[in-house]
């Protein structure tokens, strides 16, 4: 697929035809946008109904944010507000922006539906700010959908394997 | 470092209140805090609702000690030291669950959920009285009492009863608990994070009404920019010294409160829902108290390290020094047991908007505290923090610093007293 290099989420046919390599390209592209702090473009990878969830680590990974306290439970509106906030100088926790580097591996397509697919991958995100570095690691669980030929994220859930955020302190970047 | 120099300078006649920056960086002060505060004051352990059924337990670190908070088979709540009376292994290695008994895996001693030794391999190698000797059981924390579902422990057997210790703070805990007719429950999921700063910086920050405009500019932008995100309510109120190091700020604020201040964003459904909650509160407590419960926000400090913030959501937060420049923080959300699915959902949504290590506000607090701690690298030259805001006023406002002075006065009376033990009495 030649247009992939230009716009890694465009030009997609039915979900049944998608191959893992295309998903990897998409996830690498997403990681790259985040590492470059191109957050408004990153937000364009999400559907209008998308959610972004980071549950705490003392309850089951599939728990609902309607009945449990999460670290992050954004609907699409609040995710947009998160991006707006992080692009401001007054988002003190991320000013100056921390440097991050993401490793995405073990990408698997877990199911295929009529208009989308389930994907999981392992991640490590390294973050440096003010002379100190921390690592976030775990599994990312995605629901991806195809809308007018574009591959988009409808659901992204970050399952941390760490004891909460004891080592990292806080979650002021996007994972 | 010797402390010939005072840690606190309070001169009401000149409106002066200064705290030595040594209080945040000197390891010998942390050592004294461990002896005179964390081994001597009542510390929050957990909420009744976390161990509802017989056999339920959670393990957590309180005051640097590993503790099991459990409900025994008879339904009695217990606080056990999580260390085997045999040779010391941590007996319970799970975070939470339901147990018929606890077994230490090292040599296999088995204890009831009440801590009683039930059996051990090779019983015939021990003396006849061994099993009936209370030293053979898991040890109970020296003092364990509760107030309205909030369970506290103390490692000093001679501490005053919890109700007396809470003193004037009870009025505010009551207001917070009274928002539920059936009782509060802690909601599933616990936020565990850390801050590279002295623990007392979070005490100050949790009851600091002065920093919002500057530190939380992006949160306030967000509220303003969100259609219907604001109630027509100013950020106005008072700061109070409750005695014993406890303190509170109580104020109105423009954000929505699930109990019970409506914002247009919550729509007609939300409005109806909140009206019903309000009616119930009025029927129960009369309109004046109902109004105070519903509309007023409270950031309550129970000395030394329990924060109960009844704000855009209800949070219970406690934190402990790991070193003089690092702390661990635990935070929970609580809400009325009887609350509808709708209200619970909005409560949690509201909580995360502001609070917690992934919220729109708390990370900026954390950044501020960490930069205070870094700033104290100059403490030899720049020796004092100023905490005098509002000393010139008869009734200090919520954005003054009287509530912090209350903490520091009591802290100083414990830490600077020239005694080696029993300072917290
Ligand atoms: S240390 Fe627990 S049985 Fe020996
Ligand atoms: Fe704050």
């Amino acid at each position: 697929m030649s247009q992939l290099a230009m716009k890694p989420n465009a030009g997609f046919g039915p979900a049944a035809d998608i191959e893992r390599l295309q998903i990897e390209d998409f996830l690498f592209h997403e990681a790259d946008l985040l590492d470059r702090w191109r957050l408004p473009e990153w937000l364009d990878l999400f559907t209008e109904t998308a959610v972004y969830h980071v549950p705490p680590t003392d309850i089951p990974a599939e728990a609902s944010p309607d009945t449990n306290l999460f670290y992050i439970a954004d609907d699409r509106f609040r995710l947009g507000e998160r991006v707006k906030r992080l692009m401001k100088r007054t988002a003190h926790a991320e000013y100056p922006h921390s440097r991050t580097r993401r490793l995405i591996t073990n990408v698997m397509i877990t199911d295929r539906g009529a208009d989308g697919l389930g994907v999981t991958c392992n991640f490590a995100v390294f973050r440096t700010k003010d002379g100190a570095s921390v690592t976030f690691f775990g599994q990312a669980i995605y629901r991806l959908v195809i809308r007018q030929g574009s591959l988009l994220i409808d659901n992204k859930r970050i399952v941390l394997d760490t004891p909460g955020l004891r080592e990292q302190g806080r979650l002021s970047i996007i994972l | 470092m010797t402390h010939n120099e005072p840690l606190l300078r309070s001169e009401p006649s000149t409106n002066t209140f200064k705290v030595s920056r040594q209080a945040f960086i000197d390891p010998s002060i942390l050592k004294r805090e461990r002896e005179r505060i964390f081994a001597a004051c009542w510390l929050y352990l957990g909420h009744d609702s976390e161990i509802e059924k017989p056999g339920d337990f959670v393990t957590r670190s309180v005051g640097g000690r590993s503790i099991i908070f459990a409900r025994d088979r008879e339904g009695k709540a217990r606080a056990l030291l999580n260390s085997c009376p045999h040779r010391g292994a941590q007996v319970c290695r799970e975070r939470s669950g339901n147990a018929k008994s606890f077994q230490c895996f090292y040599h296999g001693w088995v204890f009831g959920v009440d801590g009683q030794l039930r059996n051990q391999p090779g019983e015939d190698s021990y003396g006849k009285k061994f099993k009936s000797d209370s030293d053979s059981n898991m040890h109970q924390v020296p003092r364990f009492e509760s107030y309205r579902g909030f369970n506290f422990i103390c490692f000093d057997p001679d501490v005053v009863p919890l109700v007396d210790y809470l003193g004037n703070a009870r009025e505010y805990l009551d207001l917070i608990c009274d928002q539920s007719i059936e009782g509060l429950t802690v909601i599933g999921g616990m936020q565990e994070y850390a801050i590279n700063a002295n623990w007392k910086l979070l005490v100050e920050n949790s009851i600091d009404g002065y920093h919002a405009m500057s530190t939380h500019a992006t949160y306030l932008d967000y509220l303003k920019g969100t259609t219907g995100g604001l109630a027509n309510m100013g950020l106005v109120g008072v700061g109070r010294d409750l005695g014993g190091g406890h303190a509170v700020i109580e104020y109105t604020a423009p954000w929505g409160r699930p109990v019970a201040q409506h914002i247009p964003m919550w729509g007609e459904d939300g409005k109806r829902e909140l009206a019903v909650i309000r009616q119930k509160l009025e029927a129960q407590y009369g309109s004046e108290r109902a109004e105070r419960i519903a509309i007023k926000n409270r950031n309550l400090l129970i000395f030394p390290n329990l924060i109960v913030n009844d704000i855009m959501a209800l949070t219970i937060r406690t934190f402990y020094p790991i070193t003089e420049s690092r702390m661990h923080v635990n935070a929970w959300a609580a809400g009325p047991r009887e609350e509808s699915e709708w209200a619970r959902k909005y409560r949690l949504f509201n909580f995360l908007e502001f609070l917690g290590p992934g919220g729109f506000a708390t990370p900026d607090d954390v950044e501020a505290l960490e930069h205070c701690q870094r700033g104290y690298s100059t403490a030899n030259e720049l020796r004092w923090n100023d905490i005098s805001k509002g000393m010139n006023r008869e009734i200090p406002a919520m954005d003054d610093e009287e509530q912090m002075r209350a903490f520091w006065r009591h802290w100083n009376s414990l830490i600077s007293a020239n005694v080696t033990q029993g300072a917290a009495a």
Side-chain angles (χ1 to χ4, degrees):
Chain A
M1 196 173 288
S2 60
Q3 55 281 63
L4 214 58
M6 306 279 291
K7 207 164 180 255
N9 72 324
F12 278 86
D17 298 344
I18 296 178
E19 290 176 30
R20 203 196 73 226
L21 275 181
Q22 293 173 281
I23 300 295
E24 290 196 12
D25 280 337
F26 176 78
L27 295 177
F28 295 166
H29 174 64
E30 189 209 355
D32 187 55
L33 291 176
L34 287 170
D35 282 341
R36 291 174 195 277
W37 284 89
R38 281 159 58 176
L39 303 185
E41 284 166 77
W42 171 79
L43 190 63
D44 287 341
L45 299 178
F46 285 77
T47 67
E48 284 309 306
T49 53
V51 297
Y52 167 60
H53 289 162
V54 185
T57 57
D58 67 328
I59 57 172
E62 62 280 1
S64 163
D66 295 348
T67 49
N68 292 281
L69 179 65
F70 275 32
Y71 289 117
I72 294 176
D74 284 349
D75 58 12
R76 176 59 178 70
F77 171 74
R78 197 159 70 187
L79 189 58
E81 295 297 314
R82 183 176 297 277
V83 165
K84 263 192 228 161
R85 172 179 133 73
L86 286 172
M87 297 312 284
K88 290 179 186 171
R89 290 173 67 98
T90 44
H92 309 290
E94 285 299 330
Y95 184 81
H97 282 163
S98 50
R99 290 185 60 165
T100 64
R101 191 60 58 194
R102 280 145 226 269
L103 309 184
I104 307 289
T105 73
N106 304 51
V107 176
M108 293 195 280
I109 296 176
T110 53
D111 69 84
R112 288 175 199 267
D115 78 329
L117 59 178
V119 168
T120 61
C121 67
N122 296 349
F123 69 85
V125 180
F126 303 91
R127 168 179 183 259
T128 296
K129 186 169 191 294
D130 295 325
S133 299
V134 295
T135 309
F136 300 85
F137 58 90
Q139 187 181 46
I141 303 170
Y142 290 87
R143 180 82 206 153
L144 302 178
V145 295
I146 295 156
R147 297 279 150 78
Q148 281 104 40
S150 288
L151 189 61
L152 296 172
I153 302 168
D154 199 44
N155 191 316
K156 179 174 179 179
R157 178 171 288 228
I158 294 291
V159 180
L160 293 165
D161 287 325
T162 48
L165 296 167
R166 280 285 192 245
E167 295 307 318
Q168 305 85 352
R170 62 179 187 241
L171 189 45
S172 44
I173 56 167
I174 292 170
L175 289 180
Chain B
M1 169 86 201
T2 53
H3 298 290
N4 301 327
E5 189 170 90
L7 291 165
L8 190 151
R9 271 170 45 205
S10 171
E11 292 152 25
S13 61
T14 57
N15 297 328
T16 303
F17 197 100
K18 305 273 187 195
V19 172
S20 169
R21 292 184 175 181
Q22 292 301 323
F24 301 94
I25 60 173
D26 183 345
S28 76
I29 291 182
L30 175 59
K31 187 164 174 282
R32 268 197 248 177
E33 289 174 340
R34 291 199 198 283
E35 292 161 9
R36 299 180 184 189
I37 293 178
F38 295 106
C41 295
W42 283 102
L43 303 174
Y44 179 67
L45 171 64
H47 192 265
D48 277 353
S49 58
E50 294 180 84
I51 50 162
E52 301 233 89
K53 297 184 297 297
D56 282 356
F57 69 88
V58 296
T59 53
R60 59 184 50 138
S61 176
V62 177
R65 283 99 162 146
S66 176
I67 306 292
I68 306 175
F69 177 41
R71 193 166 298 284
D72 71 21
R73 306 310 295 183
E74 275 66 58
K76 187 168 177 247
R78 301 275 181 174
L80 305 172
L81 300 177
N82 191 10
S83 174
C84 185
H86 179 219
R87 297 248 293 281
Q90 271 195 336
V91 174
C92 183
R93 296 181 297 152
E94 288 153 74
R95 298 196 46 147
S96 63
N98 187 275
K100 290 205 162 55
S101 59
F102 296 121
Q103 179 168 25
C104 177
F105 86 97
Y106 193 5
H107 307 92
W109 289 21
V110 177
F111 306 90
V113 178
D114 58 2
Q116 291 267 336
L117 177 64
R118 290 236 192 99
N119 55 68
Q120 81 263 53
E123 264 178 57
D124 53 2
S125 333
Y126 289 92
K128 272 207 185 63
K129 297 221 175 81
F130 190 82
K131 234 168 147 181
S132 55
D133 182 349
S134 65
D135 276 350
S136 307
N137 298 327
M138 290 183 73
H139 285 216
Q140 316 279 329
V141 173
R143 293 285 295 276
F144 174 45
E145 290 172 22
S146 79
Y147 183 77
R148 298 203 65 175
F150 289 75
N151 292 268
F152 293 75
I153 54 179
C154 184
F155 301 108
D156 176 2
D158 301 321
V159 70
V160 298
L162 177 66
V163 286
D164 300 336
Y165 179 89
L166 292 174
N168 296 331
R170 276 179 293 162
E171 176 187 348
Y172 292 88
L173 257 188
D174 286 344
L175 282 162
I176 290 165
C177 293
D178 285 352
Q179 65 181 264
S180 167
I181 313 283
E182 286 175 29
L184 293 176
T185 183
V186 164
I187 297 164
M190 170 183 176
Q191 295 184 334
E192 303 168 271
Y193 54 109
I195 305 177
N196 287 320
N198 185 275
W199 68 278
K200 298 184 292 298
L201 280 165
L202 186 54
V203 170
E204 292 183 342
N205 175 259
S206 299
I207 50 173
D208 183 334
Y210 186 24
H211 73 294
M213 293 300 172
S214 171
T215 301
H216 301 311
T218 59
Y219 172 72
L220 297 170
D221 289 351
Y222 162 73
L223 288 187
K224 278 182 237 145
T226 306
T227 321
L230 285 173
N232 185 17
M233 210 38 109
L235 202 57
V236 195
V238 294
R240 288 197 188 111
D241 175 353
L242 299 174
H246 314 310
V248 72
I249 51 177
E250 190 174 33
Y251 55 100
T252 56
W255 48 68
R257 286 170 50 81
V259 176
Q261 175 165 291
H262 183 65
I263 47 172
M265 198 172 107
W266 292 348
E268 285 306 307
D269 282 356
K271 202 170 188 169
R272 261 193 301 280
E273 183 100 17
L274 263 54
V276 171
I277 294 174
R278 190 67 176 266
Q279 269 165 21
K280 279 192 194 154
L281 292 174
E282 278 176 17
Q284 189 86 3
Y285 307 113
S287 61
E288 201 176 317
R289 187 172 176 81
E291 158 121 6
R292 189 173 173 202
I293 291 170
I295 299 303
K296 289 285 175 71
N297 296 268
R298 280 160 284 271
N299 298 42
L300 173 64
L301 162 68
I302 294 179
F303 190 90
N305 65 339
L306 173 64
I307 299 289
V308 187
N309 280 355
D310 174 13
I311 45 181
M312 68 290 295
L314 181 55
T315 178
I316 302 171
R317 179 197 293 160
T318 175
F319 39 94
Y320 290 98
I322 303 304
T323 69
E324 67 280 358
S325 58
R326 184 170 172 85
M327 73 183 104
H328 281 178
V329 187
N330 295 333
W332 297 267
R337 240 169 232 287
E338 68 272 24
E339 140 177 291
S340 71
E341 264 175 48
W342 178 91
R344 180 61 55 85
K345 187 174 158 181
Y346 273 81
R347 161 183 304 284
L348 290 167
F349 193 82
N350 237 24
F351 186 111
L352 293 185
E353 213 148 82
F354 187 92
L355 289 161
F360 284 8
T362 301
D364 295 335
D365 288 309
V366 171
E367 182 79 359
L369 308 194
E370 292 188 344
H371 280 268
C372 288
Q373 193 72 31
R374 284 162 179 262
Y376 301 151
S377 64
T378 63
N380 274 343
E381 294 74 35
L382 214 175
R383 305 221 305 270
W384 300 95
N385 276 356
D386 186 279
I387 314 212
S388 66
K389 191 170 186 290
M391 281 177 93
N392 59 347
R393 281 193 230 197
E394 193 128 341
I395 300 176
M398 63 83 74
D399 58 352
D400 287 332
E401 294 170 338
E402 172 60 13
Q403 65 282 359
M404 287 173 231
R405 292 190 285 276
F407 169 82
W408 282 113
R409 280 189 287 263
H410 190 66
W411 177 88
N412 189 53
S413 73
L414 301 180
I415 295 302
S416 294
N418 200 13
V419 291
T420 48
Q421 56 178 337

